[in-house]
Amino acid sequence: MNRSLTRNILRAAHRTPRSDQRFAHLVEVDITFAAGAFTDAPAPWSPGEGFREVAGAAWIGGNADGTQTAVVAGVGPKELPAAGGGVWTDEEVWTVTSVDTAVFAWLDDKPDRVTWALGREDVEIERLPYSAHPHKVVADYWHEFYMEHGFIPERLAGGMYGLTLACAPNHSWEYGPRPLADACRRVVAAFGGRAAVRAVTREEVPEWRTPAPVSLMRNLATI
C-alpha cells in the first residue's frame, strides 16, 4: 500500500502543470480512517437541533420570531466585567440572540467578537462558565490528541473521520511529493485507513498564506 501510494503521489506531481503561482496546483491525499480508529473520542457537542457550526466552538441557529441565536464556547477573558460582574478571569460560554445579523458577522472568523454586543438593548446575552461545559471535554481531548500526534481529523458523515494532506509541487522540495508520501505513511501506519490521491487546481490562490493541508503535511512529515 505504501509503495502504490507513493507512486500515485509522484505520478500526480509529475503531471502538475508548471506555474508561477506556487500553490495553484496541489496534489491532495484524502485519508479515511478505519472504523474504530477514534472510538475513545467524545461525541461532538452541539447547542441542539437547528444549529450549524460556523467555526470551531461557534454555532448559529434561527428562531421562529425572526431572531438568530449564536453560541460561542470558550470565550477568553477580555477587558469586560465577568458574568458575575467582577474581573473577568475565566473562559465563558456566550449565548447571544438578536434580530440584527451584524451581531453575528464575525462568527466564521473571530467568533469571540460576539462580545462586542454587550450592553446593546436589542441583544439578549447569557453567559455561563466554560470550565464545566460539555464542549470543554471535547476540546480538551482533541487538544491533547493534537499535541501528541500533530493533527486533528475531520469528522465525516456517518461518524467516520478523515484527513486531507497536500503538497505544492511548484513551490519547493519542502512542499513536495516525497514529504507528502512520508506524512501519509506515518498517519496510515498509526491509525489505519484508506488513502486516495487527487490533483487539484485552485482558482484563487492567496500567495501570502500557505494552504493549511500543506503546512500540516510538513509538520507530520517530521514527526
Side-chain angles (χ1 to χ4, degrees), residues 48-222:
E49 186 177 353
F51 282 87
R52 61 183 178 88
E53 191 170 9
V54 293
W59 300 262
I60 191 166
N63 304 308
D65 61 359
T67 62
Q68 289 181 299
T69 296
V71 178
V72 181
V75 180
K78 294 175 176 285
E79 293 181 5
L80 298 172
V87 177
W88 189 355
T89 59
D90 300 311
E91 292 180 315
E92 298 179 353
V93 179
W94 283 54
T95 301
V96 181
T97 301
S98 177
V99 71
D100 184 4
T101 57
V103 172
F104 313 109
W106 294 95
L107 277 187
D108 62 348
D109 183 29
K110 296 179 174 60
D112 63 310
R113 289 186 178 180
V114 76
T115 57
W116 291 358
L118 186 66
R120 287 181 48 167
E121 295 183 357
D122 60 335
V123 179
E124 178 183 339
I125 299 176
E126 179 186 30
R127 301 169 64 178
L128 297 173
Y130 183 55
S131 57
H133 196 273
H135 179 269
K136 189 174 187 299
V137 176
V138 181
D140 287 350
Y141 174 89
W142 288 116
H143 173 73
E144 293 177 8
F145 182 94
Y146 179 84
M147 296 303 294
E148 180 177 356
H149 301 291
F151 74 97
I152 297 177
E154 177 187 2
R155 190 173 177 89
L156 307 175
M160 298 293 290
Y161 288 89
L163 175 68
T164 298
L165 300 177
C167 73
N170 285 323
H171 183 268
S172 69
W173 185 89
E174 287 184 298
Y175 295 90
R178 292 198 178 277
L180 174 60
D182 189 35
C184 293
R185 177 184 60 80
R186 291 172 183 271
V187 171
V188 173
F191 299 98
R194 294 174 289 110
V197 181
R198 58 179 175 172
V200 176
T201 299
R202 306 169 75 225
E203 297 298 332
E204 296 183 7
V205 185
E207 286 293 321
W208 52 271
R209 184 176 182 180
T210 301
V214 176
S215 297
L216 183 59
M217 174 273 292
R218 292 180 65 196
N219 295 337
L220 292 175
T222 59

